[in-house]
């Protein structure tokens, strides 16, 4: 079994000694492949065009948490996303920061600061403020736990509606009720055919008036024109976006200068090299032992 590594050289430098210590062959870069048949695992963000070059490929591992950028896998090739506690903790941190920033009206205060204006506004309590998290996977659950610990009244939404201890989770048919209670809405959903364009005008209309949006899912889930309309109409008060469509937004896009929006350049998480390597080694081990691949993606579902 050999793993072909197609990512950044500085990451390769961290991975190599860990693979050596584990006795797993790791090849860096396609140019270094002498026997394509030896490659059983491939780590990359975007895979090379022709995966059929590797006839014994078993698993492609995305270096990140998302896999929506991946092409369909050849027959028999499994797809995994990187499972790393650091990714989950980083996104949790970004989500908590963004939630607090919107809750405490930082977009308004940042605007006032730019104008040299000292003006207070009513100070809201976190306790009892209703937060809704769309996407109750590992990251959603971690964010829910922290926000609950701060006193927010947290509910979740997931397609399955699977129960999570201590959090009311709405399922597929509960979206309207979930939105109706979400004063701060957090999107952590994966991009799938179902979630593409999900956040549009009719979606925003179901939120309480003056709701706030925290978006760390994927840019293509958000209709930016509908966001602007909802902000202009007062249906939404503010938004914090770590993802946009396209990334980056064009230089002259209205959102750059909109004082109600804070944008970060898709930085909620970045896979820690050591944790990424440990996950990849666990995948190779699972392949060897015939056990469940950690982070295995259901390719029909898309996440
Ligand atoms: C980032 O968005 C990732 O998928 O890791």
């Amino acid at each position: 079994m050999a793993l072909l590594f197609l990512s950044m050289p500085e990451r390769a430098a961290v991975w190599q000694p860990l693979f050596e210590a584990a006795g797993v062959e790791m090849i860096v870069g396609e140019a270094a492949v002498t026997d394509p048949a030896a490659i059983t695992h491939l780590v990359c963000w975007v895979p090379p065009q022709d995966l059929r070059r590797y006839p014994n490929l078993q698993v492609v591992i995305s270096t990140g948490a998302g896999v929506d950028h991946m092409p369909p896998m050849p027959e028999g090739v499994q797809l995994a996303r990187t499972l790393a506690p650091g990714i989950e903790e980083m996104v949790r941190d970004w989500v908590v920061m963004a939630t607090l920033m919107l809750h405490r009206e930082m977009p308004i205060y940042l605007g006032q600061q730019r104008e040299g204006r000292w003006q207070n506004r009513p100070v809201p309590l976190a306790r009892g403020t209703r937060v809704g998290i769309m996407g109750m996977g590992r990251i959603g659950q971690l964010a829910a736990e922290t926000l609950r610990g701060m006193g927010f009244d947290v509910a979740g939404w997931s397609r399955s509606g699977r129960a999570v201890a201590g959090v009311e989770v709405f399922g597929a048919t509960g979206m309207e009720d979930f939105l109706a209670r979400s004063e701060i809405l957090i999107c952590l959903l994966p991009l799938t055919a179902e979630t593409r364009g999900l956040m549009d005008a009719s979606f925003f209309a179901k939120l309480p008036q003056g709701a706030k949006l925290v978006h760390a899912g994927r840019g293509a889930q958000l209709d930016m024109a509908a966001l602007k309309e909802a902000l202009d109409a007062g249906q939404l008060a503010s938004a914090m976006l770590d993802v946009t469509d396209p990334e980056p937004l064009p230089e002259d896009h209205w959102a750059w200068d909109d004082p109600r929006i804070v944008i970060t350049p898709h930085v909620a998480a970045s896979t820690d090299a050591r944790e990424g390597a440990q996950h990849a080694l666990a995948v190779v081990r699972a392949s060897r032992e015939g056990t469940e691949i950690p982070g295995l993606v259901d390719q029909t579902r898309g996440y």
Side-chain angles (χ1 to χ4, degrees):
M1 282 192 175
L3 177 135
L4 174 57
F5 181 94
L6 302 179
S7 184
M8 294 174 279
E10 59 272 24
R11 284 196 184 170
V14 176
W15 284 45
Q16 257 158 340
L18 295 169
F19 271 66
E20 248 173 67
V24 176
E25 189 183 357
M26 171 178 154
I27 297 166
V28 180
E30 285 200 280
V33 177
T34 49
D35 176 15
I39 304 297
T40 52
H41 293 73
L42 170 65
V43 168
C44 60
W45 181 248
V46 181
Q49 202 92 53
D50 193 10
L51 284 175
R52 266 172 277 263
R53 179 173 174 224
Y54 305 105
N56 295 317
L57 188 61
Q58 296 177 13
V59 189
V60 171
I61 306 170
S62 166
T63 50
V67 292
D68 51 284
H69 56 284
M70 286 281 182
M73 291 294 117
E75 185 78 26
V77 176
Q78 293 183 305
L79 178 61
R81 67 196 166 91
T82 293
L83 283 190
I87 294 180
E88 294 158 20
E89 291 160 19
M90 287 174 194
V91 180
R92 183 264 326 267
D93 294 349
W94 187 92
V95 162
V96 170
M97 170 188 70
T99 301
L100 287 174
M101 279 184 67
L102 299 188
H103 177 61
R104 298 303 296 262
E105 310 207 272
M106 279 306 286
I108 291 176
Y109 289 123
L110 289 172
Q112 287 187 182
Q113 180 183 341
R114 269 178 233 116
E115 293 165 10
R117 198 143 53 88
W118 177 279
Q119 192 183 322
N120 64 339
R121 296 173 56 83
V123 181
L125 264 174
R127 188 177 351 113
T129 296
R130 287 175 300 167
V131 171
I133 303 178
M134 286 197 298
M136 285 301 285
R138 301 164 71 108
I139 297 172
Q141 290 181 39
L142 200 56
E145 192 181 301
T146 306
L147 291 167
R148 279 182 68 221
M150 302 178 82
F152 288 102
D153 176 358
V154 181
W157 182 89
S158 68
R159 200 171 73 150
S160 69
R162 199 176 309 117
V164 170
V167 183
E168 184 181 7
V169 181
F170 294 77
T173 57
M175 182 61 103
E176 295 217 0
D177 292 337
F178 166 77
L179 293 179
R181 72 169 297 289
S182 296
E183 295 168 300
I184 300 176
L185 178 71
I186 298 168
C187 179
L188 289 170
L189 292 172
L191 182 63
T192 64
E194 280 172 55
T195 66
R196 188 176 290 278
L198 173 73
M199 292 185 275
D200 61 8
S202 68
F203 177 95
F204 291 135
K206 291 173 187 144
L207 290 166
Q209 196 176 26
K212 295 162 180 174
L213 172 67
V214 171
H215 190 20
R218 284 291 187 255
Q221 294 160 338
L222 174 61
D223 177 340
M224 289 295 280
L227 172 65
K228 180 158 178 19
E229 275 168 32
L231 288 166
D232 290 347
Q235 178 58 18
L236 283 183
S238 54
M240 185 132 176
L241 313 177
D242 188 52
V243 289
T244 59
D245 185 28
E247 288 180 9
L249 290 172
E251 223 171 282
D252 60 352
H253 196 280
W254 62 270
W256 284 121
D257 297 322
D258 194 301
R260 301 160 297 187
I261 294 182
V262 177
I263 298 173
T264 54
H266 203 141
V267 291
S270 169
T271 307
D272 173 78
R274 176 170 280 273
E275 289 191 0
Q278 278 157 351
H279 172 257
L281 282 170
V283 170
V284 172
R285 227 173 287 124
S287 301
R288 216 180 250 160
E289 292 162 8
T291 54
E292 191 178 320
I293 304 285
L296 184 69
V297 171
D298 177 341
Q299 295 184 56
T300 55
R301 213 174 52 166
Y303 62 97

